Amino acid sequence: MTKALQHLADHAWKILALLPLLALLAVQLGGEAALAGLAVALPLAVLAFGRKGGPADSGAMSDQVIARLDATLAEVKASGGTTGCLVIQFDDAAHLCDRLGRARQSEVLSACVARLRGALRPGDLLYTLEDGSLAVALAASPRLDLEIMVRIAARLQLVAQQPVTLATGPVQVTCSIGFCVAQQLSQPSGRALLDAAQVAGDEASACRPGAIRGFSAELARARADRDGLRAGFAGAVDRGEIRAWFQPQVSTDSGEVTGIEALARWQHPDRGCLAPGAFLPALEGSDLMELLGQTMLTQSLATLAEFDRKGLMIPTVAVNFSAQELRDPHLPERLGWTLDRFQLAPSRLTVEVLESVVAGDGEDIIAANIGRIAAMGCNVDLDDFGTGHASITAIRRFALNRLKIDRSFIRDVDQNRDQQNLVTAILSLAERLGLATLAEGVETPGEHALLAQLGCGHVQGYVIARPMPVDDLAAWLAAHRETRAQALRIDVKAR
């Protein structure tokens, strides 16, 4: 009896559709007593068993996908053909929630899911996974190859990305899709097929918006590598393997060091010295980004304090903060506490913000945090300017002090007239907005000289110095000051 009630509860939505028929059968077979029993049993069954692991239980959704794929794999093994799995991830779902609110976000995503269900082929099934992504278990097909899977994914994208009309107006979302076909796996199973599609889905999501990626062995190896780096990062911080390296910034007028930028390096015991590009993708979206940011902040300010004691004072150190960290409402307080710990004035810290963070809508919490950080007295640099398509309105919303011109505009600026025109326009914009300027990625004396002539206030790049560990920085600073002093003495003699 208990199993029967459990079965009824698991299919409560079907019971609602069949309720009139069930009532009619109860009256015909058992009269009013049977009807009364049905009226009591059905609600009790749903209340007692409806939340104990049925198909609607989100915790079991992955298992349902796996079971469905296993059944299809058994079918194709017996009769021929193949199957596949797709994983669909909505791009920037969290940002959509911030912009629309949770109720409207749910309305938009529910409409997209309904459309996707309607666009599936007969026998294909759509499931909502635990993390909010969607999985499509394909029915058995005579043939599935890369081209067919891309066409299926593109059709689903087209359906999902049609604007959804709300009371406040139309809203459009984008989605990224990863997929895997059974024959790509040496030992295909439902779990392996879903895992492979999720690996491809994560890769597509990283290349968003609207990317489509198919599974490959190279993707699986890259995923395993990222997982290994993520798992070992916290331990690496504890062991002191994560270190801040520094690259000097100098004035184009005097050649004086005006600051340094902190750049993360991981001295990995097996892989050697890793630059940020090798391990940052493994940390993005996790709490480890905050751990990295705090580690870099602490080491950077400790370096300034140590150099002050040695008489090698550096005006400011620039530390990069991700969008995830900038959304933390406690970030300004954390910066203040760390500055106080090392007895440094807020002006000694420069917070670097990527242009992509302020481009587009520009989140209110980030704008508020940057405003509070600037009000403390810290400097704020807009990093990689020119690559994130930030509007002038967006730039003015944020309390910025300086624009960092991206390397893509600096390369060959002394030889390329178009590059010169672009840099001149950026410098003119900065001057009108009352912002200082710094060119990053300056690699040749010709680039350095022309930037000085055009009026760029500060430069940073290999022509000045490469990023270096703190021990090398002290020696470089001493040598740089001696070189400047010698140049001044020669200039005095020449007069």
Side-chain angles (χ1 to χ4, degrees):
M1 180 65 179
T2 300
K3 289 184 177 180
L5 289 175
Q6 174 72 70
H7 184 74
L8 289 173
D10 289 345
H11 297 275
W13 66 274
K14 296 179 181 178
I15 294 171
L16 289 176
L18 297 174
L19 192 56
L21 179 58
L22 291 173
L24 181 61
L25 289 173
V27 171
Q28 289 181 344
L29 296 176
E32 292 183 2
L35 183 60
L38 178 67
V40 172
L42 283 181
L44 289 177
V46 172
L47 289 173
F49 301 100
R51 296 185 61 82
K52 294 186 179 180
D57 184 358
S58 62
M61 280 300 176
S62 294
D63 292 338
Q64 292 181 48
V65 180
I66 292 167
R68 173 67 181 184
L69 290 170
D70 280 334
T72 307
L73 286 168
E75 177 186 341
V76 299
K77 184 177 181 180
S79 59
T82 187
T83 186
C85 181
L86 301 96
V87 169
I88 304 169
Q89 300 187 26
F90 289 104
D91 301 326
D92 295 321
H95 177 60
L96 186 68
C97 181
D98 292 340
R99 184 159 57 94
L100 299 177
R102 188 168 300 279
R104 288 194 175 125
Q105 179 211 31
S106 297
E107 185 179 349
V108 170
L109 297 184
S110 296
C112 293
V113 169
R115 290 174 178 176
L116 287 168
R117 291 190 191 279
L120 295 178
R121 307 174 308 169
D124 296 344
L125 292 179
L126 180 73
Y127 300 84
T128 301
L129 299 179
E130 295 82 356
D131 61 357
S133 61
L134 308 174
V136 178
L138 296 180
S141 301
R143 183 173 71 91
L144 281 177
D145 56 21
L146 177 64
E147 182 181 352
I148 293 173
M149 292 296 285
V150 169
R151 285 207 304 267
I152 294 172
R155 185 176 74 248
L156 295 178
Q157 263 190 345
L158 182 63
V159 170
Q161 294 176 173
Q162 293 297 313
V164 177
T165 302
L166 302 178
T168 55
V171 176
Q172 185 172 20
V173 298
T174 61
C175 62
S176 302
I177 301 180
F179 63 82
C180 181
V181 182
Q183 59 259 35
Q184 289 182 274
L185 305 176
S186 57
Q187 295 182 324
S189 67
R191 182 172 296 279
L193 199 51
L194 176 60
D195 287 347
Q198 287 178 317
V199 167
D202 289 343
E203 179 68 18
S205 184
C207 301
R208 61 188 181 193
I212 296 174
R213 293 291 184 273
F215 174 78
S216 67
E218 290 75 15
L219 276 185
R221 284 192 291 270
R223 171 67 172 268
D225 183 53
R226 287 197 297 270
D227 289 347
L229 290 172
R230 185 186 299 113
F233 184 79
V237 172
D238 293 338
R239 292 188 297 271
E241 296 172 6
I242 308 301
R243 303 298 302 170
W245 285 29
F246 301 96
Q247 187 172 34
Q249 302 164 341
V250 302
S251 166
T252 55
D253 291 332
S254 63
E256 183 179 1
V257 174
T258 56
I260 53 176
E261 180 182 3
L263 301 164
R265 294 292 185 272
W266 184 346
Q267 195 61 46
H268 198 281
D270 300 321
R271 300 173 56 177
C273 185
L274 301 181
F279 61 87
L280 277 184
L283 310 183
E284 289 175 351
S286 72
D287 293 340
L288 295 174
M289 286 299 294
E290 183 176 333
L291 176 60
L292 173 63
Q294 186 61 39
T295 301
M296 295 297 294
L297 176 67
T298 302
Q299 292 188 19
S300 299
L301 297 185
T303 297
L304 283 193
E306 179 187 353
F307 279 30
D308 285 355
R309 290 191 293 269
K310 292 179 177 180
L312 295 171
M313 183 173 175
I314 300 171
T316 182
V317 61
V319 180
N320 294 274
F321 289 89
S322 67
Q324 180 179 334
E325 293 173 280
L326 290 168
R327 293 188 188 101
D328 179 6
H330 301 297
L331 177 62
E333 286 82 2
R334 185 152 52 89
L335 298 183
W337 295 334
T338 313
L339 285 163
D340 289 343
R341 172 184 171 187
F342 293 102
Q343 299 180 338
L344 294 171
S347 60
R348 305 293 299 280
L349 174 64
T350 296
V351 173
E352 291 206 356
V353 183
L354 288 172
E355 186 191 6
S356 57
V357 173
V358 306
D361 295 334
E363 297 180 49
D364 290 338
I365 181 62
I366 292 180
N369 271 349
I370 293 176
R372 292 170 61 196
I373 291 168
M376 290 168 51
C378 298
N379 306 297
V380 182
D381 281 3
L382 185 61
D383 197 11
D384 292 345
F385 181 74
T387 63
H389 311 294
S391 66
I392 296 176
T393 302
I395 292 174
R396 294 188 60 159
R397 282 188 60 220
F398 292 82
L400 305 175
N401 300 103
R402 184 166 65 178
L403 300 183
K404 289 189 69 175
I405 307 172
D406 186 70
R407 165 65 187 162
S408 60
F409 297 100
I410 303 305
R411 187 182 297 111
D412 299 328
V413 70
D414 57 324
Q415 303 175 33
N416 187 314
R417 175 63 66 178
D418 290 337
Q419 291 286 76
Q420 294 172 23
N421 291 337
L422 285 171
V423 171
T424 300
I426 293 172
L427 295 174
S428 176
L429 171 65
E431 182 180 7
R432 290 180 179 275
L433 294 176
L435 302 175
T437 51
L438 183 150
E440 55 185 344
V442 183
E443 296 186 355
T444 68
E447 293 171 354
H448 185 186
L450 187 65
L451 288 165
Q453 293 174 18
L454 293 176
C456 183
H458 309 264
V459 291
Q460 171 184 346
Y462 288 177
V463 71
I464 306 299
R466 292 175 177 268
M468 64 190 84
V470 64
D471 293 339
D472 294 347
L473 178 61
W476 184 90
L477 284 171
H480 180 74
R481 291 183 181 182
E482 177 59 29
T483 300
R484 287 187 64 244
Q486 184 177 2
L488 288 173
R489 287 195 295 270
I490 294 173
D491 185 53
V492 169
K493 290 179 181 178
R495 292 179 183 175

